[in-house]
Amino acid sequence: RSPYKEQLQNERLDILARAMVNDERDGYRVQNDAIQAYYDAHKSDYEQATMKAIFVTFKPGLQSKGTSTEDLQAAAQTALGATRSGRSEAEALELAQSIVKRARAGEDFGKLVEQYSEDAPSKRDQGNFGVLKAGSSFPPAFRQAVMSHKAGEVTDPIRQGTGFYIIRVEQRTAQPLSEVSPDIVATIRQNHLNEWLQDLNRRFQPEIKDPSFSQIGTPKD
């Protein structure tokens, strides 16, 4: 009986609508030539950079500004950084800038890593710092700084958390199509769905036959 009858009908319609949308997106067949064409047109989105890094730490202030999870995590990171270094941020920046100058002048980057880097994992691996690519967890500012340089170039100091990174770009390449193909398929399907929904909106525009229906009455004095 009402109102449960109407609620069940509405729930059924909602489930069917969502199923129709998902079927339209996930059932859309993406041809190989469409994947290749999208990859060729957006190759810059799939550039990747192999990096070497030097990390110069500083001792930041220890005060926490709040008690949220994010604030506590930031405070923990700050405390960890404080145990690593006795430098002020200004001193760390000055050192990092001098290292950049020496690296750009042609000094062996591997020897600079051995002498100055305070990131233990990458230092043990001669400064190798992995690959920066689409989907990597590096912060946007870090990614922008690295991807604005060509192979063989050294970035300015990049401030991150409790220190400054100095990155030497070792190689610039594009991710292989086989690696990014699933993401491209998902993007093409989502684009198709967006166009399909827009077409539905154009075809089924609501028509208000009684203009008074949309008018909001004014309160009486």
Side-chain angles (χ1 to χ4, degrees):
R1 65 178 186 268
S2 297
Y4 309 113
K5 176 182 177 181
E6 290 78 11
Q7 290 174 358
L8 285 171
Q9 290 173 340
N10 289 335
E11 289 293 335
R12 179 177 181 275
L13 289 174
D14 182 62
I15 291 171
L16 289 173
R18 283 188 278 115
M20 183 173 65
V21 168
N22 291 338
D23 185 66
E24 186 65 34
R25 180 192 60 212
D26 300 336
Y28 181 70
R29 295 187 62 184
V30 181
Q31 304 295 334
N32 289 335
D33 56 350
I35 298 174
Q36 183 68 56
Y38 187 94
Y39 178 76
D40 293 338
H42 300 84
K43 191 167 286 188
S44 61
D45 295 340
Y46 302 108
E47 281 192 283
Q48 59 185 7
T50 305
M51 305 174 288
K52 286 185 179 245
I54 297 172
F55 186 53
V56 178
T57 63
F58 58 81
K59 181 178 180 179
L62 298 179
Q63 55 272 52
S64 174
K65 295 182 180 180
T67 57
S68 68
T69 301
E70 293 76 11
D71 292 329
L72 294 174
Q73 288 175 341
Q77 184 181 30
T78 296
L80 177 62
T83 65
R84 293 183 191 168
S85 175
R87 299 185 201 93
S88 67
E89 182 173 341
E91 290 170 339
L93 178 59
E94 183 178 1
L95 175 59
Q97 289 172 333
S98 70
I99 295 170
V100 168
K101 186 175 181 180
R102 291 168 61 180
R104 289 175 175 172
E107 285 197 42
D108 187 293
F109 197 82
K111 291 182 178 179
L112 292 173
V113 169
E114 184 177 351
Q115 184 176 358
Y116 293 108
S117 185
E118 294 166 296
D119 178 64
S122 62
K123 186 173 183 176
R124 286 194 297 266
D125 196 20
Q126 300 177 322
N128 290 320
F129 202 58
V131 180
L132 176 66
K133 56 186 176 182
S136 296
S137 60
F138 293 99
F142 185 98
R143 176 180 175 80
Q144 182 178 3
V146 173
M147 298 306 286
S148 63
H149 289 77
K150 300 176 182 178
E153 293 183 342
V154 177
T155 68
D156 289 331
I158 307 171
R159 188 188 188 284
Q160 294 291 304
T162 58
F164 292 94
Y165 281 99
I166 302 158
I167 301 296
R168 175 185 161 91
V169 178
E170 298 298 297
Q171 191 178 29
R172 286 286 298 268
T173 57
Q175 291 178 255
L177 178 59
S178 59
E179 187 175 307
V180 299
S181 180
D183 290 337
I184 292 177
V185 169
T187 299
I188 293 175
R189 283 177 170 168
Q190 186 61 46
N191 290 342
H192 164 74
L193 179 63
N194 293 341
E195 293 174 0
W196 181 75
L197 292 172
Q198 289 171 5
D199 181 60
L200 285 181
N201 287 333
R202 285 191 296 267
R203 289 165 53 196
F204 300 102
Q205 287 292 331
E207 179 183 354
I208 300 176
K209 295 185 177 181
D210 182 2
S212 65
F213 179 78
S214 60
Q215 293 177 355
I216 301 176
T218 55
K220 297 180 180 180
D221 294 334

